[in-house]
Amino acid sequence: MDSIEPFLSSDQIAARLKEMGESITADYAGHDLLIVGVLKGTFMVMSDLVRQIRLPAQFDYMAVSSYGAATKTSGVVRVLKDLDQEIAGRHVLICEDIVDSGLTLNYLIKSLAVRGPASLEIAALLYKEGIQRVPVDVKYVGFRIGPEFVVGYGLDFDEKYRNLPYVGILSQS
Ligand code: IMP
Ligand code: MG
């Protein structure tokens, strides 16, 4: 049986995303943004965050996979869907749900950087503190959390729980 202990409420998440949106709006003033969502987990974070960004923006998505049904990273990143748009000369902001080992973002940053964007930064709702296996520089972090496995608000365990409106800590017995 799975049990889920509430961890971050929808109100807490909304308040933090508003602050992040304000920082992003200020930092990119005068620029157009290309916001890149990393599917699938980011769909909820992205839709709520971008409504707090007051700038001309365009959107694209990548799909990568590094997890099967397990709660531990496999260390292997597979690109399931690349960007539709060219990013050369553009200000690119990657939007992620969570940074765990960092392997996914490290791989994405390396593969996008060679395409010559004007800038390339990351916004992530959650950042698991101190457990990165590779360095990742995340400019906009919603919440720094512990190593627990979390679900909800886009995050899944075995494709379940993405539609919970809050973030909870999953425990299995
Ligand atoms: P990383 O490559 O280990 O940093 O994590 C890659 C992906 O694993 C994230 O974008 C999530 O989709 C997923 N992931 C990592 N930690 C969790 C978690 O605690 N809950 C749900 N998904 C997670
Ligand atoms: Mg993800």
Side-chain angles (χ1 to χ4, degrees), residues 36-156:
V36 170
V38 186
L39 294 171
K40 293 179 255 189
T42 196
F43 75 98
M44 224 178 267
V45 179
M46 186 156 157
S47 70
D48 286 344
L49 175 62
V50 301
R51 278 178 281 184
Q52 304 297 336
I53 298 176
R54 312 279 178 228
L55 293 170
Q58 293 182 307
F59 301 91
D60 206 342
Y61 292 93
M62 286 189 81
V64 294
S65 163
S66 63
Y67 282 81
T71 56
K72 287 266 156 42
T73 186
S74 65
V76 177
V77 179
R78 265 194 314 151
V79 174
L80 307 176
K81 184 208 167 293
D82 200 347
L83 296 175
D84 295 332
Q85 304 178 39
E86 301 290 333
I87 62 168
R90 303 175 71 182
H91 293 280
V92 177
L93 180 65
I94 299 176
C95 184
E96 251 289 35
D97 47 5
I98 188 164
V99 185
D100 183 346
S101 69
L103 289 166
T104 308
L105 280 172
N106 183 270
Y107 177 87
L108 276 183
I109 288 286
K110 277 196 214 147
S111 61
L112 297 183
V114 297
R115 303 181 193 178
S119 68
L120 183 58
E121 300 289 353
I122 301 166
L125 179 69
L126 304 172
Y127 183 93
K128 288 188 183 173
E129 197 81 88
I131 61 163
Q132 282 68 49
R133 285 163 56 184
V134 285
V136 258
D137 191 6
V138 185
K139 185 161 185 189
Y140 305 98
V141 176
F143 299 92
R144 292 177 190 277
I145 66 173
E148 302 82 15
F149 196 83
V150 288
V151 294
Y153 203 74
L155 292 153
D156 74 304

